[in-house]
């Protein structure tokens, strides 16, 4: 019998829990308040996403004005709204690749589903309909809809839902701590990963592969930063076999790495880039799938054969979400948020580095305003994932909200965070760590 205290089917939550959820009711700057009236520093910006913090009046104004002027008009059948068109031009201006067109959706998952469909359509339009397969990483996260969930390399996203299947293949997680590459130099590790990747392509048949999708830095898989040179070498394999590259910048897009896009930061050459979260600082749901020129042209050719382009959502280019996204991009550019991230990130990195070699800690990782401390359950004689949960709970008690991916506790604060606020995050985290350590002695 269910004793669930809520009627809401909570996403990514064990549905058998009989405790009430933690309810957030208010936000200001980089802090949120819960229903009990306690304030917390939000160390993960909601879901890696509230880049401009919780009380940006310009975003509220942009939404209100647009609501008053035109609350909705869709974009089907060659009729659209002025704001969606203007946002498309804004995105083209900051795109890190020569962009042909941009497709708007509502979430990171639907952006990735769209990108996967566009990759297949691209091949189909050129007489290669058998190129349907998608390669992604074990431990990659691309969302939970049918295609994005299938490309996600985390088994709990597949189980029970009938996801993945023959059209979705997984390459090794490009984790420098991967047990199979223990003892290898970084170069040897890249060799090993790329060799295995190409073997996967050859075994399945390159003529059946549509695209490879990857996050530049793998977030929900545990903040995995691939070894240096990895993507350049993978790109050679993709080029050799005519496979498209989709960069999932849902977390990294719009400033988090210290560049507007991680594509620039890491020197990637994607054909399609997906983005969401930071596009509107999460004030409203909107995603953007940036389609490179070459792919855009082929999509147009394909649609000529069919008579239309059979893809799109009622809320594609929703004017209120688009108005908020336009204002977000204006703020990100005016305040040089990527430049600000470059200034603040070393502060976070230095603070996290103090944990390297600490008792219970296996690894410390960071890039831009992304950080991760991986705890070592073996050292503590704990079940996998347990230490991550303990640190998370202790941090909450200390007034800091974080997330744990297994035993890796991640940091992804709002990008407007100041050095002083980074210190506060680190102080609270240190206190939480000490609490866990003391409780285990
Ligand atoms: N891609 C990445 C890299 C993500 O981190 C996420 C969500 O966290 C998604 C896609 C899915 O986005 P959404 O939850 O908006 O569907």
């Amino acid at each position: 019998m269910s004793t669930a205290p809520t009627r809401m089917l909570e996403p990514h939550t064990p549905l058998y829990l009989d405790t009430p959820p933690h309810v957030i009711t208010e936000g200001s700057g980089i802090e949120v308040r819960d229903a009990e009236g306690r304030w917390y520093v939000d160390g993960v910006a909601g879901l890696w996403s509230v880049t401009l913090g919780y009380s940006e009046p310009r975003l509220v104004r942009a939404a209100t004005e647009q609501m008053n002027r035109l609350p909705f008009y869709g974009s089907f059948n060659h009729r659209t709204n002025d704001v969606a068109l203007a946002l498309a031009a804004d995105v083209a201006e900051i795109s890190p690749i020569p962009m042909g067109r941009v497709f708007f959706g509502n979430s990171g998952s639907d952006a990735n589903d769209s990108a996967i469909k566009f990759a297949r359509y691209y091949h189909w339009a050129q007489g290669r309909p058998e190129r349907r397969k998608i390669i992604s990483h074990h431990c990659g996260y691309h969302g939970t809809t049918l295609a994005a969930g299938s490309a996600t390399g985390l088994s709990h996203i597949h189980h029970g839902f009938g996801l993945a299947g023959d059209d979705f293949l997984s390459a090794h997680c490009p984790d420098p701590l991967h047990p199979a590459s223990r003892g290898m130099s970084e170069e040897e590790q890249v060799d090993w990963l790329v060799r295995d990747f190409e073997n996967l392509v050859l075994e399945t048949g390159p003529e059946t592969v549509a695209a490879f999708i990857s996050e530049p830095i793998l977030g929900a898989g545990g903040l995995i930063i691939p070894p240096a040179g990895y993507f350049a070498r993978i790109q050679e394999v993709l080029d050799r076999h005519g496979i498209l590259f989709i960069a999932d910048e849902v977390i990294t897009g719009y400033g988090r790495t210290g560049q507007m896009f991680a594509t620039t930061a890491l020197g990637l050459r994607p054909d399609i880039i997906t983005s969401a979260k930071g596009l509107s600082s999460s004030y409203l749901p909107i995603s953007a799938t940036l389609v490179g020129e070459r792919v855009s042209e082929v999509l147009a050719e394909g649609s000529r054969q069919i008579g239309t382009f059979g893809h799109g959502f009622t809320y594609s280019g929703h004017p209120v979400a688009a108005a908020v996204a336009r204002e977000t991009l204006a703020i990100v550019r005016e305040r040089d948020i990527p430049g600000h991230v470059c200034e603040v990130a070393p502060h976070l990195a230095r603070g996290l580095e103090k944990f390297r070699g600490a008792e219970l800690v296996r690894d410390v990782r960071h890039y831009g305003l992304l950080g991760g401390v991986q705890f070592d359950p073996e050292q503590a004689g704990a079940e996998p994932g347990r230490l991550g949960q303990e640190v998370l709970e202790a941090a909450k008690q200390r007034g800091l909200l974080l997330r744990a991916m297994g035993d890796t506790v991640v940091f992804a604060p709002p990008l407007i965070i100041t050095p002083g606020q980074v210190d506060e995050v680190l102080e609270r985290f240190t206190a939480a760590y000490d609490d866990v350590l003391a409780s285990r002695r």
Side-chain angles (χ1 to χ4, degrees), residues 177 358-363 373-391 405-408 436 440:
L177 297 182
E359 202 177 333
L360 304 181
V361 172
R362 178 150 186 245
D363 194 25
V373 176
Q374 182 172 357
F375 291 91
D376 186 354
E378 264 177 49
Q379 218 193 96
E383 299 265 296
R386 178 84 214 133
L387 277 179
Q389 283 309 314
E390 285 179 21
V391 173
M405 313 298 167
D407 279 305
T408 301
V436 170
R440 292 199 144 260

Side-chain angles (χ1 to χ4, degrees), residues 12 47-49 106-112 140-145 148 152 213-221 248-252 274-277 285-287 403 405:
H12 291 292
L47 292 171
W48 328 73
S49 59
N106 318 300
S107 70
S109 297
D110 73 38
N112 286 326
Y141 186 86
H142 303 292
T144 59
T145 44
T152 290
I213 182 168
S214 176
E215 301 155 85
I217 291 168
L218 288 71
D248 177 346
E249 292 234 32
V250 168
I251 287 179
T252 52
T274 56
S275 66
K277 299 189 189 284
I286 183 166
S287 65
R403 284 186 77 194
M405 313 298 167

